[in-house]
Each structure stands twice: as structure tokens, then as C-alpha cells.
Amino acid sequence: MKGCKVLGVKGDPLNPLEIIERAKKDGRKVLLEPESKTLCSLYGIPVTVFDVAKDEEEAVEKAKKVGFPIVMKIVSPDVLHKSEAGGIVVGVKDEEEVRRRYKEIIGNVKKHIPNARIYGILIQEMAPQGIETIVGCIKDPQFGHAVMFGLGGIFVEVLKDVAFRVAPLSKEDAEDMIKEIKGYPILKGYRGSKPADTASLIDILLKVSKMVEELPIINQMDLNPVFVYEKGAKVIDARIIID
Ligand code: ADP
Ligand code: MG
């Protein structure tokens, strides 16, 4: 759990229910990115290294610990789409830039959403670009949890190229979901491009399934994007919504 700290939750090891309870006490159904990523990592799902800074000095200190270049993101329960609110900067390269971007991000968000509660700035490792995928989950009143998989960007937004399976998932279910999407050749490797590590994606799908099985209070989950590489995969952004 190195580098994984959740707002207001002191001391490791963290318990998934503590994170959920804390959000409830704060009157929230939406878990913040650091909370959602901590839950994921408690289930063994690989996430970016991250930490939350409460002021500019802490941002500098934590950026140095994570190692440059870093990504800085707003942590606010009132900001659902961080990029739209000017709440993200990628590729921050040194201390001077951390200080400048810290003020800039808070300024952008305040301009965009004047009364937004700001809980801090998320400092995270800058992950190398991989193939963008999405892993999600929704809860249907009749069928229960269904896990979703798709390729990111236009594949999901325009082409709705996604696969669903009702949880709990078997390994075969997870394999079929990945093979069933139309964009599968992009993962399999085409025209000499190397195949992506679909075994890592299968592992993430199975862990998501286990998580919602054990935490039925989860209403929705969006891991978007999940970068997949030749070797390994990593959750870049995460949002979990509870009942
Ligand atoms: P939101 O969806 O709330 O706008 P994201 O956290 O998904 O914000 O970030 C937007 C985009 O920025 C991502 O799709 C990804 O391309 C890039 N990004 C975010 N975090 C990182 C990171 N740690 N490393 C590399 N790229 C990132
Ligand atoms: Mg996102």
C-alpha cells in the first residue's frame, strides 16, 4: 500500500468498508479517485502510484517522492469530469512547475464550478501510454452486477463496442468478453504491432467481479482508462459509486 493514502483515513492497512463508511459520513455516493484506487489496490488491481497533497508544499514533497514527470489532478466531490474542469495536468516536470500548476488547477476548478469543495491535489506517477481500455460494472435491479469491458475513446463513445457479463465471472467469461469486442484485433496485435497483455486484463476483470461480489453496496464502477501494455496493465482513472 506504499503511496496509497486516502483522505482522512489514517494508518494502513485500510479496510474497504472503512473507505465506504467515510464517504457515507461525508454524504457522498461517489468515491473520489484516490478512494476508488485504494479500493482497487486492496483487491490486487494494479493502479498508478498516487498520493494526495493538501497544500503546495506537500505537493512538492509528494511529487519528489513519486518521481518526475508526474500528473496532477483535482480531488473534489463536485468535479466529475476532471479534464473538463481544467483539473488535470499531465507531464509536470519539476518543482517550479508543481507550484505553478497547483495554483492553476485550483484556479481553473474554482472558475468552472465556483462552490466546488476542494479536498486536495492528487499527485501521481505519469504512466506510459498504453492501449486505452475501459473496465466497468453496473448493478441491475434484476440481474445484479454486470461487468463491462471495452476499448476506450471512440470505440466506447461512438461505436459502443463493449461486452457485458453477469457477475461472478469465470475465467472463460473474462476471456470471451475480450475476444468478443470488434476491436479485439487491436489487442491481439495487427500488422506487426505487438500483442497486448490480455492475461492482465482478464485478471483485472476477475478481480472487479470478486470486488462487487464481496461489496454488494457498489452500484457502479468505472475504470476509465485502463492502459494495457505488452506486459501488464494499469488503472489510470477510477470512480466507484455506492448505493
Ligand atoms: P477525467 O476522466 O476525470 O477527465 P482522467 O483521470 O481519466 O480524468 O484523465 C484524463 C486523461 O489524462 C486520461 O484519459 C489519460 O489519457 C490522461 N492521464 C490521466 N492520468 C494519467 C497518468 N497518471 N498517467 C498518464 N496519463 C494520464
Ligand atoms: Mg477518466
Side-chain angles (χ1 to χ4, degrees):
M1 291 301 299
K2 240 168 106 194
C4 285
K5 289 273 146 52
V6 175
L7 304 167
V9 179
K10 291 197 182 70
D12 294 332
L14 295 165
N15 165 326
L17 292 174
E18 276 177 78
I19 298 168
I20 290 170
E21 277 312 311
R22 200 196 107 74
K24 276 192 190 164
K25 269 190 203 132
D26 195 31
R28 287 187 279 122
K29 287 186 174 179
V30 180
L31 304 189
L32 301 164
E33 179 177 337
E35 294 168 334
S36 304
K37 281 187 171 169
T38 301
L39 265 189
C40 286
S41 73
L42 286 171
Y43 277 85
I45 298 169
V47 302
T48 54
V49 170
F50 68 89
D51 207 340
V52 177
K54 302 255 169 58
D55 58 42
E56 196 181 305
E57 289 316 312
E58 243 184 58
V60 169
E61 183 195 311
K62 292 182 170 176
K64 284 180 180 164
K65 245 188 230 160
V66 168
F68 292 106
I70 59 147
V71 175
M72 297 173 72
K73 305 189 192 182
I74 194 73
V75 182
S76 166
D78 304 308
V79 178
L80 283 188
H81 300 286
K82 298 174 293 277
S83 337
E84 271 173 34
I88 296 196
V89 182
V90 298
V92 176
K93 59 185 188 312
D94 56 25
E95 174 173 343
E96 178 277 323
E97 191 176 358
V98 171
R99 293 184 185 280
R100 182 156 50 85
R101 300 297 196 184
Y102 188 94
K103 298 184 214 37
E104 186 183 301
I105 289 173
I106 290 176
N108 287 346
V109 169
K110 282 191 170 154
K111 208 185 310 166
H112 206 83
I113 306 166
N115 295 320
R117 292 162 287 174
I118 294 172
Y119 288 3
I121 297 283
L122 188 58
I123 304 292
Q124 59 184 234
E125 78 177 289
M126 168 108 180
Q129 186 66 43
I131 298 176
E132 270 190 46
T133 67
I134 295 179
V135 174
C137 183
I138 50 163
K139 183 152 82 176
D140 179 271
Q142 207 176 342
F143 301 106
H145 287 108
V147 178
M148 188 267 270
F149 173 75
L151 289 176
I154 59 159
F155 288 94
V156 61
E157 280 157 28
V158 183
L159 304 172
K160 314 277 182 239
D161 183 18
V162 291
F164 283 95
R165 286 292 183 286
V166 172
L169 259 55
S170 67
K171 190 162 182 228
E172 290 66 41
D173 287 331
E175 279 167 6
D176 290 346
M177 286 171 79
I178 292 172
K179 288 187 180 150
E180 162 182 322
I181 58 165
K182 292 189 196 74
Y184 177 59
I186 292 172
L187 295 169
K188 207 174 74 179
Y190 63 104
R191 288 199 202 162
S193 74
K194 294 247 172 67
D197 187 352
T198 48
S200 292
L201 291 175
I202 290 167
D203 187 58
I204 293 175
L205 289 168
L206 293 174
K207 284 169 173 166
V208 165
S209 170
K210 179 159 188 270
M211 186 164 158
V212 295
E213 214 188 334
E214 290 185 7
L215 301 171
I217 193 173
I218 293 178
N219 185 280
Q220 197 184 315
M221 205 164 146
D222 287 291
L223 311 182
N224 179 10
V226 175
F227 283 174
V228 58
Y229 304 105
E230 266 176 67
K231 213 174 165 346
K234 202 171 262 193
V235 174
I236 303 297
D237 183 22
R239 181 164 70 212
I240 292 171
I241 303 176
I242 54 176
D243 282 331

